[in-house]
Amino acid sequence: MASRTASSEVIEAVIDGLINTTSNSVEARASVPVSVLLRSLNSCKKLLRRGSSDLESTSWNSIMLRVVESADFNPDITPRILDTILDLAPLYRKGSASSDDFEDLGTAEPKAVMLESAASVGMLHQTLRAYIRLDNINSALRTFKKLQNLINPVRAKTMPDRTQSVPELTTKAPPPQDLQSDSMKLDKLDQQIDEATRIYPPIPIPTLAEFLDLTRRTKLFHIGRWLLFAEENIDPVIQPYLYASSHLQPALLRFATATADSKLLYEVTKQLRTSLPKGTVRALLHCQMVLGKWDAAEDLLEYIKTERAMALSALDVMTVAQTFLRTEGSQGKSDSVEESTIRARNILHNMLSGAYNKRPDPSRPPNYWQTRLLNQISRILASAPGGIATVGAPFVHPEGQAHATTNIPVDAFNVFLEGVVDSYGARAGKELWDIWCQSPSPDLSVPQEEISEDVPASTEVQIAPIGQEKVVSPSLQTVRIILEPIVSRREKEPAKGRPEDEEPSVPEGRLGRYGPRADYETLDWGVGMYRRFGLTDREIERDVPGYFG
């Protein structure tokens, strides 16, 4: 019997029919789930290519945009679907062999290719931002490298992965030069970008700032340094003249402080303007707190109190609490560290008592948001181990409108959680999660074939008592912080198999409550949470090496 064949016209008709299953309004619902639709469209695309045929790139762009605009999914919450949509449209790069990722420009004019690729490149930017805001470092790195392969293929080849260090030959970029005008900056940038890739715009500065912050939060400092510093006459991704950008300065200040890079800190502070944006002021405040420069921190707190457009935030309070936890637990404390601990405690006490709150305006109705925020933070501090609980407990007021429960931003909670885990171990961090963190909703966009059945995803649901409502919507980074000390120990010590009845090898106390059995219990819990956030087993293996093997 002869093999069955289908003409390209039939496959194109199937594609047209599939697109018509998407919803065309906010009220309408699609008749086919978006994941099924995309798998079918990708199969049709492969069939067309097998017969040396394909739709024009403008047609695929229209199909992509139709799926995105159908409102069948939220790209900021499920960027994995955006990844699948991007498989439909070709990306172009001069001198590239035809492949699934890139197609040769051939003799096409750069302007024409730029127009045809605009939808794909814009969607790549959107996908990168979504992964960054979800703290999905593995997918963010993969998407960032794909963008760099378009913008600067030479620089992309030197990008390290999560476990690879930057070569020692890496040299820091020269200090920012005083360029005469914006046109000179653009001219210099044009000279550094190869002719073959000039058709693609660079990654937006706000996205670069968020990506640099993500490398800091996940402690992948070698990737952050790769972004900032030149290597073997290859210019860095974040050029030195960008240090003057108000979008980038807060991220640069935080990175320089986290890595104790005094030269980078000096180069950034040289570029600060007299009138500082709110984000830069707050970044400077947190840097002074982390560095233990409490006089400067108090001056900035007073400035925020009097500045009309600013107010004390949860992140400000939690940064002081984290510093207090770390200095309080320092072994063999010197006089300077002891003094810093006392100063941190006093400032934290003043914050919780409302000393840095805005003065109420008698001409307006009372606004209790600051009181509620500080009361909720006091509850969280009082639930933590150690001396920090005695600082928060006196300011917990369970009754009254001004003391109602309010949500706490996850970035602020993560800062405090990191201090608790560093001082008291992963189990203490897990206990804070149990008290304050909501259970993440399962990500149904993950293909089931990519999930192992050996360790089921966590489905526990807890009802909190009054006054301890779940007020934190956790992120991937929240889980990562809790597991970090266990993962670090596993990397340093040889694997001994999964224990069943061993008792904890370290007594409870300042060193943390852990042992082989407790570690595995916490790891099992963490893997279940990773699954609920939508990570596949391959992605989990990068965060917890050796767990599945």
Side-chain angles (χ1 to χ4, degrees), residues 94-294:
K94 183 168 286 187
S96 167
S98 181
S99 66
D100 291 337
D101 290 331
F102 300 105
E103 298 199 6
D104 200 348
L105 283 174
T107 58
E109 290 292 330
K111 288 185 178 180
V113 176
M114 182 179 66
L115 291 175
E116 292 184 1
S117 301
S120 305
V121 175
M123 206 171 292
L124 269 175
H125 287 160
Q126 185 179 9
T127 305
L128 176 60
R129 287 194 301 271
Y131 279 133
I132 291 172
R133 290 167 187 175
L134 292 174
D135 285 333
N136 191 332
I137 181 63
N138 296 312
S139 297
L141 287 172
R142 173 173 46 79
T143 308
F144 186 88
K145 188 161 189 176
K146 196 167 188 176
L147 271 170
Q148 277 299 115
N149 272 321
L150 285 171
I151 298 167
N152 192 339
V154 176
R155 181 63 174 163
K157 290 179 181 178
T158 67
M159 182 176 177
D161 58 25
R162 288 191 60 169
T163 58
Q164 175 186 356
S165 355
V166 177
E168 294 182 0
L169 295 176
T170 299
T171 56
K172 294 186 178 181
Q177 299 177 358
D178 296 328
L179 302 179
Q180 298 293 327
S181 64
D182 290 341
S183 61
M184 290 181 62
K185 296 178 184 178
L186 293 175
D187 290 342
K188 181 180 179 181
L189 183 60
D190 284 343
Q191 293 172 4
Q192 294 170 345
I193 297 180
D194 187 83
E195 290 290 335
T197 58
R198 189 175 295 181
I199 57 175
Y200 295 107
I203 297 174
I205 294 176
T207 305
L208 282 177
E210 292 185 48
F211 188 63
L212 182 63
D213 266 334
L214 181 62
T215 64
R216 174 188 55 83
R217 291 196 302 271
T218 54
K219 298 183 179 180
L220 298 180
F221 299 122
H222 63 289
I223 296 178
R225 292 188 182 97
W226 175 85
L227 291 171
L228 291 167
F229 302 140
E231 179 184 350
E232 297 178 356
N233 298 321
I234 303 175
D235 290 312
V237 176
I238 300 178
Q239 303 270 356
Y241 69 79
L242 294 177
Y243 294 0
S245 169
S246 59
H247 295 288
L248 196 55
Q249 283 174 344
L252 289 169
L253 289 169
R254 288 188 286 265
F255 187 85
T257 303
T259 56
D261 192 331
S262 57
K263 291 185 178 179
L264 177 60
L265 192 63
Y266 172 72
E267 296 300 339
V268 177
T269 52
K270 279 202 315 185
Q271 302 293 319
L272 296 179
R273 299 183 304 233
T274 305
S275 178
L276 295 176
K278 292 185 291 184
T280 306
V281 171
R282 210 171 288 280
L284 282 172
L285 170 64
H286 299 162
C287 290
Q288 304 304 326
M289 292 172 174
V290 172
L291 296 173
K293 298 183 178 180
W294 298 112

Side-chain angles (χ1 to χ4, degrees), residues 63-78:
I63 291 171
M64 281 195 324
L65 295 176
R66 174 70 179 271
V67 175
V68 172
E69 293 170 357
S70 66
D72 288 332
F73 72 101
N74 186 340
D76 293 329
I77 297 176
T78 54

Side-chain angles (χ1 to χ4, degrees), residues 77 438-444 458 473-474 528-534:
I77 297 176
Q438 303 161 7
S439 182
S441 301
D443 186 349
L444 301 180
S458 174
S473 179
M529 285 300 165
Y530 276 142
R531 293 225 177 100
R532 291 185 71 86
F533 277 111

Side-chain angles (χ1 to χ4, degrees), residues 282 304 310-318 348 351-354 356-358 367-382 392 395-397 400-413 436 471-472:
R282 210 171 288 280
I304 291 173
M310 298 187 71
L312 190 70
S313 71
L315 189 56
D316 301 337
V317 183
M318 292 305 199
L348 185 58
M351 284 178 162
L352 297 176
S353 66
Y356 297 108
N357 286 4
K358 295 286 186 186
N367 189 334
Y368 298 118
W369 74 268
Q370 275 195 307
T371 306
R372 290 172 180 165
L373 177 67
L374 294 177
N375 186 54
Q376 188 62 63
I377 291 174
S378 299
R379 291 171 180 165
I380 294 175
L381 300 188
F395 300 102
V396 176
H397 303 286
Q401 181 182 359
H403 306 295
T405 297
T406 187
N407 290 335
I408 298 297
V410 65
D411 58 340
F413 180 80
W436 301 111
V471 296
V472 178

